Amino acid sequence: MKLNGTDGFWLMRALLTKVVLAEGETSLSPGDPREQALSEATKHYLRIWRHAYDIEIHLPLLQKWFDLGTQEGTAALVNRLCRVLELHIYPNSRLIEVFWRLLLRRTLPLVPALKARILSMISKRLSPQFAETRQVHKEKKNSKSNTTQSSSADEHNHTLGTPELTNALGTALFPTYAAPGSRAASPEINHWATEQARQAFAPAVAPDVQWGNLLLLAIHQSERLNLPPPLSEKEEENSEEPTGDWRPVLVLNALERETGGVARISAPNTRETVQGVVRPLWRTWKAGDDGTRSVNVATSRPIAAAFFRLAAKVVDGPLMDACYRFCVKHDLFRGGEKLAAEAMHNWADLNAAYVLAVAACRGVTWQVAFEETQISGNRDLVLSTLFFHYVLTDLRIGLQVYRYAVQEGYKLGERPVHMMGIKLATPRTWQLAVPLLERPWVSRKREEELLIAILRVFQIERKQYVDPKLGKILGDALWRLYEDTAPPTKFKYPIRFFFSIMIASEHPARAIAIIEAIHRNAPSSFFTTRLLLRLMRTLVRYRHIHLTHRVHRLVSTDPANARAAADFRRKMTLGLARAGAYGAAKRAYGYGLNLKKDKVWRTPREAMAHAVKFNARNPSAKHTLPITTILNRAPTHPPTIQYAATLLVRAHRPSVARKVLERSLPHLDSKTITTIGNTILDGMLTRHLLRNGRLVRHILHTKELMEKKYRFKPDRITTNILIKSLLRWRAVVDSSKIRGLFDHMVRCGYPMSEQWMARGTNVAFGTSAASLKINVPDANEKIVFEKHVRPLYKMFIKALFARGDRDAARRVVGILRDEEGRAVKMKQERNQARWEGVQRKKAGVVKGREKH
């Protein structure tokens, strides 16, 4: 039975799975079953290889020969791969990858016969007959696709450099040499590349030189370059043909890749090594300028620019001068006004490279070099190219160039400005990137990328506040971008996080306007009810009460979200009442409610707030009479019980509050009991009938009573209340005792940095331990700055100022400021660690999905 091509292919694949070398094996013996399987697989391949162009036909066997790493397999691989490359005009890039790996493999060097076979294949691909066939295929391909690529200067860099020249040289051998997405070379550059390739692999050139030229091209496909040394002067003199541009272009590109990202090479050994390669290379390239042939300006400009940049990196003045004389001789610096787009960019790149060399070799600043250099053409484009270089190598100088351009009125390209902004969008330098958003942007995409990069810094750092001027710039950029267009979903989290910062940074109205605009255009999932609730509370915290109803409107517009809207309105009502916004709380209470018909629709806490006319801060005793009755609607709900007790205490009815606490004890946990007890104790400080010693004794008596009857457990807030009562006893507690009490609290664990410690002690004022003391109930309880430290230190500051001890008061002010800064920093670190943990968790989930 005769097998068809498909059967042969699958049989070949099945046989190749049997061919595996064990560890330590270097070859297959003639009688080995694996050698027979490889031989059978080769026979099936030889029956089908010519009839199919599919890469999967060739690659399995070629890859197997490569993986075996034997002399026989390597010979078969070279012969078969060269045969395929001689047959196919546009070989698959994966085949070319195998070819480069074969050339660069060090474990099994190629013998001269195999090198000659490869050079023969290269010579055939460069032959005029092969080029004609390739041109016919290219015209057919272009006529079928008939597509054009955008060449806008706003989106792509038109500068022709050594990387583009290298791609052109590689494409002369293999059309698929360049990486996908690379800019196609012009017909003039393609013609130059073909001529250079034919000259580099001409029959008159020695085989070893040809092989070195091919290796130079191969190493550009590896991540790490290991350059062979350039030809010595003796080898160049003995060669029958000039080397042309092939070797200089490839070596220059390799050197720029290896030294890229630095403006100047600081290590002496590296500088000498690079200089030892560049100088002979310059002589090699300049040797072709014997006056008998014209210079190709299109390719000479990028080559000369590369020499200028390397001269700047190694600070080689003679090389710079020689290159300058060459450029002047062939008018490479001239014609800036009359050139086409690509030639104009190459001209600007050459002038910018010369400015770099002048600044480095003559020891002047870039500004002096730029202003003293005579540029006959578009100085804006030259400065923009210079700016682009510094953005890549030295961001600090790049920022100087940008400021100079703005000051002197030069126009810089949008692409390098965008790159600089993205690089500046870091936790330490984001403030420098924000002003870039004020410039007019042609590309909406680039402006959006820069804005999101800055906002993502805030999200990662968990910042709470920015300078109002910077906040305005960011808010205006958000408004320009998303006034009529919904932002992409992938940018949702940094944008949402920034709204709280805008409110805290004095731009609440702009923040709400942007939220409303995005809410109109974006899907409903962009803003959650929980997020809007957090924004509402932020508005209340910063006293922007008049904007809260606009946030509520966003929640209440969706009929399917009625339950969430009702919960939002309830929390908004209680929050406004707690903040003292009585009128706004009353209006929020009435949203969606007919007060004449609906009487029991609101929760008990809302009913209590309504009973006290929403004056939750200072309700009258008369208005709190219905509180206990309303409490009967939820007698077991701890938050409702706590709210009722708070209103009663603030209405100066602590006895009723204690009765409410006593009656509700079975339904309360220890934490809630302590909170209500502290509320009762703090309420006694507002009663004007008790002062000084009577007030202190009454608070201590009430505390002991609640400890016995109500399971009350004092905490650090209780300590703050007791200290507050003591500080009001001016006749007994004077300035010296306040100092001693502050030192006592520091000894009990309250924070203070070392710079405020008195000499020879670990406290602020150096008082003895026998001074005024107060018991701290639970030393193991965590100290929270917002709840415990800030209120306590503010009480000490007020008391010291009231007694005229300004020096001690200012000392405590300094301590408080230090601790406040440290608390903010620790909070940001915790938030950042939490955010990083979430990102790691998400990455783990995604990785797990990929495995499955």
Side-chain angles (χ1 to χ4, degrees):
M1 181 178 177
K2 187 176 181 180
L3 300 176
N4 58 26
T6 304
D7 297 333
F9 169 75
W10 290 111
L11 281 173
M12 177 190 71
R13 295 292 297 266
L15 290 167
L16 288 177
T17 59
K18 301 178 181 179
V19 184
V20 180
L21 284 179
E23 186 177 357
E25 285 187 302
T26 58
S27 62
L28 298 174
S29 58
D32 195 314
R34 294 172 295 176
E35 195 276 337
Q36 295 178 1
L38 181 61
S39 177
E40 289 295 325
T42 305
K43 291 179 182 179
H44 288 295
Y45 170 77
L46 293 176
R47 294 191 187 102
I48 61 176
W49 77 276
R50 186 184 290 271
H51 305 289
Y53 180 66
D54 189 355
I55 182 63
E56 297 301 333
I57 298 294
H58 307 282
L59 196 60
L61 182 60
L62 298 179
Q63 188 65 49
K64 181 60 66 175
W65 276 330
F66 182 86
D67 294 340
L68 287 176
T70 62
Q71 290 287 354
E72 298 81 4
T74 302
L77 172 61
V78 169
N79 290 320
R80 184 49 48 193
L81 184 58
C82 289
R83 190 71 185 92
V84 173
L85 294 178
E86 289 173 344
L87 181 66
H88 297 299
I89 299 174
Y90 288 91
N92 191 281
S93 58
R94 294 165 67 186
L95 282 177
I96 304 302
E97 182 182 352
V98 174
F99 178 70
W100 299 130
R101 290 168 56 197
L102 176 65
L103 297 185
L104 297 174
R105 185 168 62 178
R106 296 183 176 183
T107 55
L108 191 64
L110 298 176
V111 298
L114 296 181
K115 291 182 180 180
R117 179 68 183 94
I118 292 175
L119 292 176
S120 174
M121 179 269 296
I122 295 295
S123 177
K124 184 174 182 179
R125 290 191 65 89
L126 292 173
S127 64
Q129 297 81 6
F130 200 91
E132 291 177 2
T133 308
R134 175 176 170 181
Q135 182 64 26
V136 172
H137 280 258
K138 184 177 181 180
E139 292 176 355
K140 291 182 179 179
K141 186 177 180 181
N142 292 339
S143 63
K144 290 181 181 180
S145 61
N146 195 25
T147 59
T148 58
Q149 294 183 352
S150 171
S151 60
S152 171
D154 187 51
E155 295 296 332
H156 301 282
N157 183 15
H158 280 279
T159 303
L160 183 69
T162 53
E164 288 74 23
L165 295 179
T166 298
N167 285 338
L169 293 175
T171 306
L173 299 183
F174 306 107
T176 55
Y177 175 87
S182 301
R183 181 164 57 91
S186 63
E188 179 184 4
I189 299 301
N190 286 330
H191 177 73
W192 164 85
T194 302
E195 292 300 321
Q196 295 301 319
R198 288 173 178 172
Q199 184 176 345
F201 297 98
V205 179
D208 290 342
V209 177
Q210 292 187 45
W211 187 252
N213 292 335
L214 185 60
L215 284 182
L216 273 176
L217 185 64
I219 61 175
H220 284 80
Q221 297 297 314
S222 62
E223 295 182 0
R224 185 174 180 180
L225 302 180
N226 294 298
L227 289 175
L231 289 177
S232 64
E233 297 181 18
K234 183 176 180 180
E235 290 174 326
E236 294 170 16
E237 293 174 358
N238 295 334
S239 62
E240 299 180 11
E241 295 291 336
T243 57
D245 294 340
W246 179 279
R247 193 174 185 87
V249 167
L250 296 179
V251 176
L252 286 173
N253 184 34
L255 288 174
E256 289 204 282
R257 276 181 58 184
E258 285 294 282
T259 61
V262 294
R264 187 174 302 180
I265 300 175
S266 57
N269 294 336
T270 306
R271 182 184 299 180
E272 292 176 2
T273 301
V274 174
Q275 199 172 45
V277 175
V278 174
R279 285 190 172 183
L281 190 66
W282 166 257
R283 289 192 293 268
T284 301
W285 184 61
K286 191 176 178 297
D289 180 30
D290 53 3
T292 60
R293 60 185 180 90
S294 60
V295 172
N296 189 333
V297 176
T299 57
S300 296
R301 278 192 177 122
I303 295 174
F307 276 115
F308 275 133
R309 284 190 291 268
L310 289 171
K313 292 182 179 182
V314 300
V315 195
D316 193 335
L319 176 60
M320 179 198 70
D321 295 335
C323 192
Y324 175 77
R325 290 192 295 269
F326 176 87
C327 294
V328 172
K329 177 182 177 181
H330 297 285
D331 289 336
L332 300 185
F333 285 129
R334 296 184 180 275
E337 304 90 345
K338 304 176 182 179
L339 301 177
E342 183 175 86
M344 175 72 80
H345 283 81
N346 294 338
W347 168 85
D349 184 55
L350 176 63
N351 281 272
Y354 177 62
V355 172
L356 291 172
V358 169
C361 298
R362 296 182 183 173
V364 297
T365 64
W366 67 268
Q367 185 175 342
V368 172
F370 176 74
E371 293 176 348
E372 293 183 354
T373 301
Q374 297 181 357
I375 300 174
S376 59
N378 190 344
R379 294 181 68 90
D380 287 359
L381 187 58
V382 175
L383 185 63
S384 182
T385 307
L386 186 68
F387 171 61
F388 180 72
H389 168 81
Y390 279 122
V391 167
L392 296 177
T393 58
D394 193 330
L395 193 58
R396 180 183 58 85
I397 300 180
L399 190 59
Q400 294 177 5
V401 177
Y402 176 80
R403 291 170 176 168
Y404 171 80
V406 173
Q407 181 180 354
E408 299 296 328
Y410 288 100
K411 295 181 180 179
L412 298 178
E414 190 170 283
R415 180 169 177 256
V417 174
H418 170 260
M419 291 181 60
M420 182 181 73
I422 295 298
K423 284 193 170 186
L424 288 173
T426 63
R428 292 188 176 182
T429 59
W430 64 266
Q431 299 93 334
L432 301 175
V434 173
L436 300 179
L437 294 170
E438 291 185 296
R439 70 188 306 273
W441 288 83
V442 177
S443 171
R444 171 192 170 90
K445 180 181 178 182
R446 284 176 176 161
E447 183 181 12
E448 185 177 46
E449 287 179 353
L450 177 57
L451 174 64
I452 297 303
I454 298 172
L455 298 187
R456 206 175 293 279
V457 172
F458 300 158
Q459 181 193 7
I460 295 173
E461 293 288 305
R462 315 305 288 182
K463 291 188 176 294
Q464 307 297 321
Y465 175 83
V466 298
D467 183 83
K469 294 181 180 179
L470 300 180
K472 183 180 184 303
I473 297 174
L474 294 168
D476 291 344
L478 276 172
W479 179 256
R480 286 195 305 271
L481 290 170
Y482 305 126
E483 179 183 5
D484 301 315
T485 307
T489 306
K490 61 182 179 180
F491 299 151
K492 175 172 67 174
Y493 294 106
I495 291 175
R496 294 193 330 184
F497 183 82
F498 182 62
F499 290 130
S500 298
I501 300 177
M502 286 190 70
I503 295 172
S505 304
E506 304 177 10
H507 299 289
R510 177 64 98 179
I512 300 303
I514 297 171
I515 291 171
E516 291 173 337
I518 295 177
H519 190 268
R520 286 193 303 268
N521 304 311
S524 57
S525 60
F526 197 93
F527 291 112
T528 62
T529 305
R530 184 177 180 181
L531 171 68
L532 295 175
L533 179 62
R534 186 168 69 246
L535 293 176
M536 183 273 296
R537 287 173 173 167
T538 306
L539 288 170
V540 173
R541 184 185 312 132
Y542 290 97
R543 308 303 299 173
H544 303 298
I545 307 298
H546 62 288
L547 298 173
T548 54
H549 72 281
R550 294 170 64 178
V551 182
H552 174 264
R553 191 187 306 154
L554 299 177
V555 181
S556 60
T557 52
D558 187 5
N561 205 24
R563 185 172 181 179
D567 184 66
F568 183 92
R569 184 207 49 76
R570 176 182 63 80
K571 294 177 179 178
M572 177 177 169
T573 301
L574 297 177
L576 291 170
R578 184 168 51 251
Y582 315 136
K586 184 177 180 180
R587 288 191 296 271
Y589 179 83
Y591 288 153
L593 172 66
N594 189 335
L595 295 178
K596 294 182 179 180
K597 295 181 180 180
D598 302 335
K599 295 184 179 180
V600 294
W601 188 71
R602 298 302 189 237
T603 62
R605 276 182 286 175
E606 287 182 282
M608 293 178 187
H610 181 262
V612 298
K613 306 301 181 184
F614 303 102
N615 188 359
R617 283 189 167 185
N618 189 24
S620 66
K622 176 182 176 181
H623 291 152
T624 58
L625 293 176
I627 293 295
T628 54
T629 304
I630 298 173
L631 184 59
N632 292 331
R633 291 165 50 185
T636 62
H637 189 232
T640 303
I641 297 170
Q642 182 178 335
Y643 192 71
T646 301
L647 291 177
L648 291 170
V649 169
R650 290 178 179 176
H652 306 296
R653 300 180 65 192
S655 59
V656 182
R658 288 201 302 271
K659 290 180 182 179
V660 169
L661 175 60
E662 183 177 6
R663 187 180 64 181
S664 307
L665 279 178
H667 313 297
L668 302 176
D669 57 6
S670 176
K671 184 178 179 180
T672 307
I673 293 173
T674 301
T675 303
I676 296 175
N678 286 333
T679 303
I680 294 172
L681 293 176
D682 186 64
M684 295 178 181
L685 296 173
T686 62
R687 297 187 66 185
H688 301 291
L689 298 178
L690 299 177
R691 296 190 308 172
N692 299 332
R694 292 179 61 194
L695 176 62
V696 175
R697 287 190 292 271
H698 185 66
I699 289 178
L700 290 174
H701 172 72
T702 305
K703 181 179 77 72
E704 293 173 358
L705 178 66
M706 290 192 296
E707 287 177 340
K708 292 179 181 179
K709 295 184 62 175
Y710 307 142
R711 308 196 310 271
F712 174 74
K713 294 181 179 180
D715 59 0
R716 293 189 182 274
I717 295 179
T718 311
T719 303
N720 286 3
I721 295 171
L722 296 178
I723 293 176
K724 188 175 182 180
S725 64
L726 280 172
L727 294 177
R728 289 189 178 183
W729 195 357
R730 295 191 181 185
V732 174
V733 182
D734 56 8
S735 175
S736 61
K737 291 182 179 179
I738 293 176
R739 291 187 176 205
L741 182 58
F742 185 85
D743 286 350
H744 171 69
M745 300 309 295
V746 172
R747 292 189 186 98
C748 291
Y750 281 78
M752 184 188 71
S753 58
E754 294 182 358
Q755 63 172 333
W756 298 104
M757 293 181 180
R759 183 176 299 178
T761 65
N762 58 353
V763 292
F765 301 107
T767 59
S768 63
S771 301
L772 182 63
K773 294 183 179 180
I774 190 169
N775 292 329
V776 178
D778 188 1
N780 296 324
E781 182 184 358
K782 183 180 178 181
I783 298 177
V784 181
F785 177 81
E786 290 79 6
K787 291 173 60 178
H788 305 140
V789 179
R790 181 189 288 158
L792 179 65
Y793 287 8
K794 282 187 174 182
M795 287 190 290
F796 277 106
I797 293 169
K798 184 177 180 181
L800 288 168
F801 271 120
R803 289 161 176 78
D805 193 350
R806 297 182 180 275
D807 292 338
R810 291 193 181 99
R811 194 174 190 84
V812 180
V813 169
I815 295 171
L816 177 59
R817 286 179 178 174
D818 284 357
E819 296 306 317
E820 190 169 13
R822 192 174 68 169
V824 171
K825 183 178 180 181
M826 291 177 63
K827 183 177 181 180
Q828 290 180 354
E829 290 176 353
R830 288 195 302 269
N831 290 334
Q832 182 177 354
R834 187 182 300 112
W835 185 86
E836 291 174 351
V838 171
Q839 297 305 310
R840 286 195 296 269
K841 185 175 181 181
K842 289 182 179 179
V845 171
V846 173
K847 191 174 181 180
R849 290 176 180 174
E850 291 177 352
K851 288 182 178 180
H852 292 293

